Amino acid sequence: MEITCSSANSGKSQPSPLPENSQRHVLTLRCCSTAIPSPLDDNKAPIVHPDWRSYRAKLVTNEQLSRPQGSSNLPIDPPIENRHHSSVTSENTWAHILEAPEKGCLLIATEKLDGVNIFKQTVILILSVDSKCSTGVILNKPSSMTRSAVTDGQLYFGGPLDDDLVLVSLKKNGDEEVMIKRSGIFEEVIEGLYYGTKQNSLCCVDEMVKRDELRVEDFRVFEGYCWWDNKKLRDEIKSGSWKVIACSPNIFSSLN
């Protein structure tokens, strides 16, 4: 790559080509690799790590390990300082606390919600976050209705808003995942985890089970879901009602 600098004796800026009385200085810069596009190239999409959540978890863990035990240079209280604590039990299994909810994270109810029967001791998967609201589904509340009208699996109570929902956990790049993607019915939450909210999503998993293309352990059927205005959810998190957790996709590898 060649960068040319010029200066004209007249003191006025001149367009290219260079004036005859200007001095030409050539500076040659060599890039370490021209095969990798710059993230700032206007003509190319930004480079995103293919598994950025795992990559972030490693950064969080390395940050924690690099700090001397019991010491900190941050002028903040210990409970806030530890908000990025990361627990890695194996190379591919991890979890750490987040400051704000994001698609694919978990909300874990604290003791402050023990008096709220519907959310007491709940674990909620956040399905979507946009500029105005967030939606999610309660993972750990079996419904009083024990059977689904479409499948033979256990029904789960997903939240107070009325709509059926199917959550499917699949092995990455497996035949089942390819078929789920091609169906156009399901939306990916995180790598290998999909959800569908329409009646045809229930029919889709039912047909896949009948053809032995999907196991009962691969999906869970919910009645209802959760919805928050983003400001309300932020206030609830700030008040200590929820812990916001990012976790590895393999935590959802077996839903039933």
Side-chain angles (χ1 to χ4, degrees), residues 57-111:
K58 290 179 181 179
L59 293 178
V60 171
T61 302
N62 291 338
E63 180 187 5
Q64 287 295 123
L65 294 176
S66 66
R67 295 180 184 177
Q69 187 173 3
S71 66
S72 172
N73 295 324
L74 300 177
I76 51 182
D77 296 331
I80 301 177
E81 177 186 324
N82 293 334
R83 62 174 175 252
H84 288 306
H85 176 69
S86 176
S87 174
V88 179
T89 56
S90 71
E91 183 179 354
N92 298 317
T93 302
W94 50 264
H96 64 85
I97 295 177
L98 296 172
E99 293 184 21
E102 64 186 26
K103 184 177 181 179
C105 78
L106 296 177
L107 295 182
I108 300 179
T110 69
E111 63 279 0

Side-chain angles (χ1 to χ4, degrees), residues 44-211:
K44 298 181 184 294
I47 300 173
V48 179
H49 194 281
D51 187 8
W52 64 268
R53 290 180 176 86
S54 295
Y55 183 72
R56 178 182 60 185
K58 290 179 181 179
L59 293 178
V60 171
T61 302
N62 291 338
E63 180 187 5
Q64 287 295 123
L65 294 176
S66 66
R67 295 180 184 177
Q69 187 173 3
S71 66
S72 172
N73 295 324
L74 300 177
I76 51 182
D77 296 331
I80 301 177
E81 177 186 324
N82 293 334
R83 62 174 175 252
H84 288 306
H85 176 69
S86 176
S87 174
V88 179
T89 56
S90 71
E91 183 179 354
N92 298 317
T93 302
W94 50 264
H96 64 85
I97 295 177
L98 296 172
E99 293 184 21
E102 64 186 26
K103 184 177 181 179
C105 78
L106 296 177
L107 295 182
I108 300 179
T110 69
E111 63 279 0
K112 288 194 174 184
L113 291 176
D114 283 354
V116 183
N117 185 53
I118 194 171
F119 290 126
K120 181 180 179 180
Q121 298 180 348
T122 54
V123 176
I124 296 177
L125 171 67
I126 294 296
L127 300 174
S128 66
V129 177
D130 61 27
S131 60
K132 295 182 179 180
C133 64
S134 301
T135 62
V137 62
I138 300 172
L139 296 177
N140 60 334
K141 279 201 170 187
S143 171
S144 56
M145 297 176 62
T146 57
R147 296 291 174 183
S148 166
V150 178
T151 69
D152 292 331
Q154 166 76 55
L155 266 179
Y156 284 79
F157 174 69
L161 298 187
D162 187 20
D163 200 356
D164 289 335
L165 184 144
V166 181
L167 196 63
V168 184
S169 175
L170 300 170
K171 189 176 295 184
K172 185 180 180 182
N173 297 327
D175 293 338
E176 301 89 347
E177 185 177 34
V178 172
M179 285 184 282
I180 286 291
K181 286 183 176 180
R182 287 179 178 174
S183 71
I185 299 171
F186 294 88
E187 182 174 343
E188 187 175 44
V189 185
I190 56 175
E191 180 182 294
L193 190 64
Y194 299 81
Y195 78 96
T197 57
K198 298 178 180 179
Q199 181 65 26
N200 50 3
S201 65
L202 297 173
C203 296
C204 181
V205 296
D206 184 52
E207 288 298 319
M208 291 181 71
V209 169
K210 289 178 180 177
R211 296 195 300 263

